Amino acid sequence: MFERKKIRGLDDFFLKMSSRPGKCVYFYRICGYTEEVGAFIRAYYQAARLSGVVQEGKIPNPDEKNLAYYEEMMGTDFRADQGFIAAGLKRWLPRLDGRQREDVAAALYAALDLLRRSGKNEGILKNAYIKFMCWLYYRFERIVSLLGAEEVPKILYEGEISRYELMMLTILSDAGCDVVLLQRGGKAVPGVPEELRLLGMTAFPPDFCLRRIREEIQEAMQMERMYGQRPTIANCTNAWITGKGLEDLQTAENLRGDDPRFFYNCFCRISGVEDKVLYPGQLYQFYQQMKNRGRRLVIVNGKIPVPTPEEVSGIRRRENTTWMQMLTDLSKNISCTAGQELERVMIQAFLDLMRGEAENPKANLNQLTNTAVYLLCWLRRYQKDLFGGWKMPQIGCFIHMGGCKDGREALFLRFLARLPADVLILEPDLGKGCCLQDALLYEIHFTETMALGEFPQEDTGVHMGTAAYHAERELDTIMYQDSGMYRERQYGRANVVVLQTMYEEIALLWDEEVRYRPNFSIVEDTVNIPAIFAKVSGVKDGQVDRYWQSIRELLTEDTYVAARAPFLGPYVENPMKAYAVEFFKNGKIQKRKIREHPRYPYGYLREEVQEHILEKLQMLIDRRTIRGTSENGTEYTIVATVLDLPKEIVRMIQRFDFTKKNPKFLYIHTTETVISLEDSILAAFLDLIGFDVVFFVPTGYETVERHFNRKIFEEHQIGEYMYDLQVPDLKRPAQKMRSGWMEKIFRRGR
């Protein structure tokens, strides 16, 4: 049998038999942890997995089928002598050679003899013998044929071990096998000769176990399959630059570095400008010099356009259940006519970045898939212009004018920065901001700020401001930033906060600029507009003339009055009804399709006004304010109604400056006529746009709310209900009312 000896270091476990001192094996128990121990267990796990046995938890006892098969093959005879055991092993484990059989028989006999000397009877010895024989066949058969070989087989056992399990492992150790017991609980095990003791050992980490090691190994194998053959070149990003921004990008590729294992690229963001007068000219000269040197250039102004439906449909994909499967599948869409080496670089960069996204605990497989598809669409879109005919050490250049506004855009630039391309982000307007963050990114900051919408190049025209122009812009910034003063139409985005007021406050707030109203605020580039949305029921004190006069007093230059019910209706001709289905799909309005449609009615409006209208249309549907939305097709009525607003209301929206007086909508409903669904849609939409909306209902009847899922306005009960009132000509002044006795008394005191 083999002799058990002490190790000099953990590496001794991996020595071949011929390199060990004598014919020896190692049998150790590990109850404490260090980084060295953790690395050893992982390495030993791999060795046991390849040529040995890994046992996580108890060795299962032989079941009825195991015992029946043993009896069928071996009979019921038993004798506790080595010759009988050797003969049995020859029939039971025929793959053992003579030497291995002798070693196992001797070790098994020694174990049984130990039991006999401890007072166990013949029946117990027979049961132990059958248990050991079944374990050898069903659990350790693959290891016994390796016993005594040059590559010493290994057993790794995790858990609290039983007496018979320990005897089984001792038998295998005596027959020529290394054994490690991993016991995180630290419970003493009698009969194990050695416990590993190293300086600095502590308790095992809570999540350390063989299952976790197995999962890590499986994950590593899946990673290797996912990546395939790795590239032989890699990016050397920014290590070679001098920090001079545009000058660095103009450095010839062969002057950046000469190690053939690397391509030398730059990843830089320049925030602000050094000199507002010179800056556009510097960019234009930079552009001309890059073109003259034959550098491949891609320039994107503002936001990278989202992939088109055609681009998305061009990405092959399948249903996947894990992010690894998804990325393996999608990475097959990357192909490069410039050669396999660049293709491998692209695949590795794509997988590295998307793997980082997937390891975020908040990651969602559907969102990850959409992000990956965006990256692949953009790569296909710009690949030819950046890498067409690529050869080492060529470097393309991608210029993004304006900071990244969303995570997908930032991820794409990070992706490009790991390819043979310089990536330059220009952020001259310090007020815009950029969400991109990356350890590779080199940043240059200037204190001056300027608005420059497009990168100056030949095909877009070059606009360069004079010193006086920039001085005026700077004064403009000082006056209108955090000062309470605002430029004409300074902001293009707005949200609405509905004010809760008393009835009397409506008249007080009505003609006031929204910036002076309670709860007005500006967050970044969005105005929060405090607006009125109310229903006034009844007639105060029953005085009809005063009632109409109070309404006249609300008529401003920007007030639209609907004096009949219904104002809009299902029978009114609406040309947009025919297109509503194609304008709204999968819960989203199709902005691009709407704006490109020949019957789109708002194409003449300012860009930000069109965006405001379409954004609030989507919001109205998302909030499900209108009863029947996403249930019976009401959303198509909403789309058609909003895309066919009365011309005067559209003009009021176009004139609306979000920091000044907001437009008004008055709806007077004096009869029993039922208000239409379209009227309720119009009122709810105008509220979202920023209008003050007031319904005057002298009857107190239900009106606009009959089509709402919830109450979104304030209702004021101001007096008795009155019926069959005729709406007078509100534009004509009312006859002067006779003064009451109280008014006469107070007038005398003036």
Side-chain angles (χ1 to χ4, degrees):
M1 293 192 297
F2 287 77
E3 181 183 0
R4 289 198 286 271
K5 290 190 174 181
K6 292 185 177 182
I7 60 172
R8 293 161 297 181
L10 290 172
D11 289 342
D12 286 357
F13 274 98
F14 305 107
L15 292 175
K16 297 182 184 300
M17 184 60 76
S18 60
S19 300
R20 298 187 178 194
K23 188 181 177 183
C24 78
V25 292
Y26 305 117
F27 193 149
Y28 271 80
R29 170 174 174 256
I30 301 178
C31 302
Y33 182 82
T34 66
E35 291 296 327
E36 181 186 7
V37 168
F40 163 74
I41 292 173
R42 287 178 173 85
Y44 191 86
Y45 180 97
Q46 285 280 47
R49 191 175 63 85
L50 295 173
S51 59
V53 171
V54 176
Q55 182 64 43
E56 299 178 36
K58 297 293 184 183
I59 305 172
N61 282 320
D63 59 23
E64 291 182 4
K65 291 182 179 179
N66 300 152
L67 295 173
Y69 180 69
Y70 173 82
E71 186 173 334
E72 179 185 344
M73 294 294 296
M74 304 295 290
T76 59
D77 292 342
F78 170 72
R79 290 198 312 275
D81 67 64
Q82 191 168 330
F84 176 84
I85 294 171
L89 287 171
K90 188 173 184 178
R91 296 199 312 274
W92 186 239
L93 297 171
R95 288 207 299 162
L96 293 179
D97 62 28
R99 177 187 54 79
Q100 292 168 335
R101 188 162 50 251
E102 289 178 8
D103 289 341
V104 174
L108 207 162
Y109 173 76
L112 294 176
D113 189 56
L114 181 64
L115 285 174
R116 182 183 58 76
R117 285 187 281 111
S118 67
K120 305 303 181 185
N121 61 35
E122 190 77 5
I124 293 176
L125 296 182
K126 179 180 179 180
N127 290 339
Y129 170 74
I130 294 172
K131 181 192 289 275
F132 293 149
M133 291 290 274
C134 286
W135 276 348
L136 286 170
Y137 183 85
Y138 289 108
R139 189 69 188 107
F140 297 104
E141 196 274 340
R142 71 185 296 259
I143 204 174
V144 291
S145 61
L146 303 174
L147 293 171
E150 179 70 359
E151 289 287 347
V152 182
K154 306 192 183 311
I155 294 175
L156 177 58
Y157 181 101
E158 179 185 49
E160 300 303 325
I161 194 165
S162 69
R163 181 184 182 189
Y164 282 98
E165 288 176 310
L166 181 57
M167 292 177 70
M168 182 75 258
L169 299 189
T170 301
I171 291 168
L172 291 169
S173 173
D174 291 342
C177 180
D178 287 337
V179 180
V180 169
L181 300 182
L182 179 59
Q183 297 184 297
R184 292 174 293 161
K187 184 179 178 182
V189 179
V192 178
E194 295 292 342
E195 179 179 336
L196 181 67
R197 298 184 186 277
L198 299 176
L199 289 175
M201 291 185 81
T202 60
F204 280 93
D207 60 344
F208 188 91
C209 61
L210 296 187
R211 180 181 60 80
R212 181 64 188 140
I213 292 174
R214 183 179 72 251
E215 291 172 351
E216 289 173 356
I217 292 171
Q218 291 171 347
E219 186 175 310
M221 293 171 62
Q222 290 175 339
M223 285 291 180
E224 286 304 309
R225 287 195 294 269
M226 183 172 71
Y227 278 90
Q229 186 173 347
R230 303 276 184 153
T232 59
I233 58 172
N235 57 303
C236 177
T237 304
N238 292 345
W240 54 274
I241 65 174
T242 62
K244 295 181 180 178
L246 299 182
E247 289 185 30
D248 286 327
L249 271 75
Q250 294 177 73
T251 304
E253 293 98 322
N254 59 353
L255 299 178
R256 297 180 175 192
D258 55 9
D259 191 329
R261 297 174 300 168
F262 300 105
F263 53 85
Y264 295 86
N265 68 332
C266 180
F267 187 19
C268 179
R269 176 167 58 203
I270 303 177
S271 303
V273 301
E274 189 173 13
D275 188 309
K276 286 189 264 191
V277 176
L278 300 178
Y279 183 72
Q282 290 171 339
L283 293 185
Y284 185 58
Q285 291 172 9
F286 167 77
Y287 170 78
Q288 288 182 316
Q289 289 168 357
M290 295 285 277
K291 293 288 285 186
N292 292 339
R293 291 174 180 172
R295 292 283 300 278
R296 288 186 167 273
L297 278 173
V298 170
I299 299 173
V300 172
N301 293 303
K303 188 176 177 63
I304 300 176
V306 299
T308 64
E310 293 74 22
E311 288 176 321
V312 172
S313 63
I315 302 299
R316 302 183 307 276
R317 49 184 161 164
R318 299 176 298 181
E319 291 293 327
N320 295 290
T321 57
T322 68
W323 64 265
M324 278 193 187
Q325 292 174 350
M326 179 268 291
L327 293 181
T328 302
D329 181 35
L330 287 180
S331 65
K332 296 174 183 176
N333 287 278
I334 298 177
S335 61
C336 183
T337 58
Q340 283 193 337
E341 189 63 19
L342 179 56
E343 184 175 302
R344 289 169 187 151
V345 171
M346 290 176 173
I347 291 172
Q348 177 162 303
F350 171 75
L351 293 176
D352 283 347
L353 285 175
M354 286 306 305
R355 178 184 171 187
E357 294 293 300
E359 289 173 350
N360 185 329
K362 298 180 180 179
N364 171 283
L365 183 60
N366 186 52
Q367 293 174 343
L368 286 172
T369 302
N370 292 338
T371 298
V373 169
Y374 266 58
L375 261 60
L376 294 172
C377 289
W378 284 333
L379 177 63
R380 283 189 174 182
R381 181 190 299 172
Y382 300 118
Q383 182 173 322
K384 183 177 179 181
D385 291 334
L386 277 175
F387 308 112
W390 177 86
K391 292 180 181 179
M392 277 286 281
Q394 292 176 351
I395 300 291
C397 183
F398 187 95
I399 301 173
H400 189 284
M401 172 58 80
C404 298
K405 299 301 183 292
D406 64 57
R408 286 175 178 166
E409 192 176 40
L411 191 65
F412 179 64
L413 296 192
R414 294 176 60 209
F415 174 42
L416 289 181
R418 285 148 175 85
L419 307 182
D422 290 335
V423 177
L424 174 63
I425 303 166
L426 297 172
E427 192 186 3
D429 189 342
L430 294 174
K432 296 294 185 181
C434 177
C435 68
L436 188 149
Q437 294 182 337
D438 195 298
L440 295 180
L441 182 66
Y442 182 81
E443 300 206 54
I444 299 174
H445 297 277
F446 295 109
T447 56
E448 296 290 316
T449 183
M450 72 175 294
L452 186 64
E454 294 188 352
F455 188 96
Q457 52 182 309
E458 294 158 337
D459 57 354
T460 60
V462 183
H463 302 268
M464 300 185 188
T466 64
Y469 169 83
H470 290 294
E472 183 185 29
R473 294 294 93 199
E474 189 170 308
L475 179 61
D476 187 68
T477 301
I478 294 171
M479 288 182 63
Y480 299 116
Q481 187 168 343
D482 300 325
S483 65
M485 300 172 61
Y486 304 99
R487 292 193 307 269
E488 291 293 323
R489 295 178 177 84
Q490 183 173 343
Y491 297 97
R493 293 176 55 83
N495 291 321
V496 169
V497 179
V498 176
L499 289 173
Q500 293 181 307
T501 69
M502 297 175 59
Y503 167 67
E504 289 76 12
E505 288 182 292
I506 293 177
L508 295 174
L509 296 171
W510 191 256
D511 203 30
E512 192 173 59
E513 293 188 5
V514 294
R515 58 179 168 164
Y516 298 128
R517 290 181 175 182
N519 300 305
F520 173 84
S521 65
I522 296 174
V523 180
E524 295 181 350
D525 61 345
T526 301
V527 181
N528 292 318
I529 301 172
I532 297 167
F533 191 7
K535 175 184 175 183
V536 179
S537 296
V539 177
K540 191 170 185 179
D541 300 327
Q543 297 186 23
V544 175
D545 289 341
R546 286 185 181 277
Y547 178 73
W548 294 124
Q549 181 59 26
S550 67
I551 296 176
R552 282 192 182 91
E553 290 171 355
L554 299 181
L555 300 184
T556 67
E557 293 181 359
D558 254 357
T559 300
Y560 192 96
V561 180
R564 69 179 189 279
F567 172 59
L568 303 177
Y571 305 110
V572 177
E573 183 180 357
N574 184 339
M576 305 313 293
K577 288 182 179 178
Y579 312 110
V581 174
E582 62 180 286
F583 287 167
F584 183 79
K585 292 182 179 179
N586 301 320
K588 298 293 179 183
I589 60 168
Q590 307 299 301
K591 289 185 181 181
R592 182 169 179 172
K593 184 170 288 187
I594 291 172
R595 296 179 70 163
E596 291 178 352
H597 197 278
R599 297 298 298 272
Y600 174 54
Y602 304 144
Y604 58 88
L605 300 177
R606 288 182 290 116
E607 178 73 22
E608 62 268 25
V609 175
Q610 296 183 54
E611 183 62 28
H612 188 56
I613 291 173
L614 296 178
E615 179 184 314
K616 300 311 176 187
L617 168 57
Q618 181 69 60
M619 185 181 293
L620 180 59
I621 296 172
D622 289 343
R623 290 184 175 181
R624 299 191 178 185
T625 301
I626 305 301
R627 189 168 296 164
T629 304
S630 300
E631 295 176 1
N632 56 17
T634 300
E635 57 271 21
Y636 300 114
T637 304
I638 295 173
V639 171
T641 301
V642 171
L643 292 179
D644 190 45
L645 299 174
K647 182 182 294 185
E648 182 54 36
I649 288 180
V650 175
R651 289 175 176 175
M652 292 165 72
I653 297 173
Q654 165 78 1
R655 292 193 298 267
F656 184 18
D657 187 334
F658 296 150
T659 62
K660 296 182 172 58
K661 294 181 181 180
N662 59 334
K664 325 289 181 183
F665 180 72
L666 295 182
Y667 195 115
I668 303 172
H669 190 193
T670 63
T671 67
E672 287 81 8
T673 307
V674 177
I675 194 170
S676 69
L677 169 63
E678 289 78 3
D679 285 356
S680 293
I681 292 171
L682 176 64
F685 174 72
L686 293 182
D687 168 61
L688 292 178
I689 285 289
F691 278 54
D692 285 335
V693 179
V694 178
F695 281 75
F696 283 94
V697 187
T699 61
Y701 290 149
E702 185 178 77
T703 53
V704 64
E705 63 266 39
R706 68 178 286 108
H707 297 293
F708 288 168
N709 276 321
R710 60 187 183 279
K711 193 172 181 180
I712 60 173
F713 55 83
E714 284 291 305
E715 183 171 7
H716 303 283
Q717 299 286 346
I718 64 169
E720 63 181 284
Y721 296 154
M722 303 191 72
Y723 308 97
D724 301 320
L725 296 183
Q726 297 297 315
V727 181
D729 183 356
L730 296 174
K731 294 182 180 179
R732 190 175 64 189
Q735 293 182 352
K736 189 173 179 69
M737 300 178 62
R738 295 178 61 186
S739 302
W741 63 272
M742 288 186 68
E743 188 174 342
K744 292 178 181 178
I745 292 173
F746 284 110
R747 186 179 299 146
R748 289 194 194 111
R750 290 175 186 169

